[in-house]
Amino acid sequence: SHGNKEVFSCRGILLAVQWFWDRGHKDITVFVPSWRKEQPRPDVLITDQYILHDLEKKKILVFTPSRRVGGKRVVCYDDRFIVKLAHESDGIVVSNDTYRDLQNERPEWKKFIEERLLMYSFVNDKY
């Protein structure tokens, strides 16, 4: 949302990570689809892509798998990675997604998502 739905803003990810880091939270994991590592196209803009690589080196960011089959990109369902890790590590999920489909998938996830989903917004560069 930092890129106003016009670009994928890696700076927005960094601002969110920094906000939690500054408050003493050191066990932070960011999931991003691996195709975000690719060279940006005019229809899929991305800014400050180097931030993703820096966060990956610091073991804060994990790229979720994707591959090409018959010239088409096939991506995994990264929402499941997010909710599973947060549930198993007794963490929180920071997202504006309500994960409605995953709430219906597992009863224990429903309660977890209802209680541990933290939605957010940006005002310019303020998280």
Side-chain angles (χ1 to χ4, degrees):
S1 63
H2 184 257
N4 293 323
K5 299 181 182 178
E6 296 169 12
V7 299
F8 183 84
S9 170
C10 301
R11 180 165 165 67
I13 292 172
L14 181 60
L15 290 169
V17 166
Q18 193 65 52
W19 190 90
F20 286 97
W21 192 267
D22 290 348
R23 282 151 184 81
H25 302 284
K26 305 301 181 203
D27 188 8
I28 300 169
T29 303
V30 175
F31 287 103
V32 174
S34 63
W35 62 269
R36 292 287 186 187
K37 290 193 256 188
E38 297 172 7
Q39 186 68 29
R41 299 186 328 238
D43 61 326
V44 186
L45 297 174
I46 184 169
T47 57
D48 301 316
Q49 202 170 21
Y50 69 92
I51 291 171
L52 301 181
H53 303 291
D54 291 348
L55 290 173
E56 182 183 33
K57 285 178 191 167
K58 294 175 180 170
K59 301 193 183 302
I60 292 172
L61 185 141
V62 175
F63 287 103
T64 58
S66 68
R67 61 192 171 111
R68 289 206 173 271
V69 177
K72 292 185 178 183
R73 182 182 298 124
V74 178
V75 297
C76 71
Y77 186 52
D78 56 358
D79 288 359
R80 194 169 283 114
F81 280 89
I82 294 164
V83 172
K84 185 175 188 296
L85 177 65
H87 183 259
E88 289 174 355
S89 62
D90 197 31
I92 65 166
V93 175
V94 178
S95 177
N96 289 335
D97 188 335
T98 59
Y99 301 100
R100 217 170 256 126
D101 55 331
L102 293 178
Q103 288 186 42
N104 297 326
E105 189 173 298
R106 291 190 177 180
E108 67 271 22
W109 284 2
K110 179 176 176 43
K111 183 172 172 35
F112 179 80
I113 291 167
E114 287 173 351
E115 296 175 356
R116 297 294 188 99
L117 176 62
L118 178 62
M119 300 179 109
Y120 67 92
S121 62
F122 285 97
V123 177
N124 298 315
D125 278 350
K126 196 167 200 75
Y127 178 78

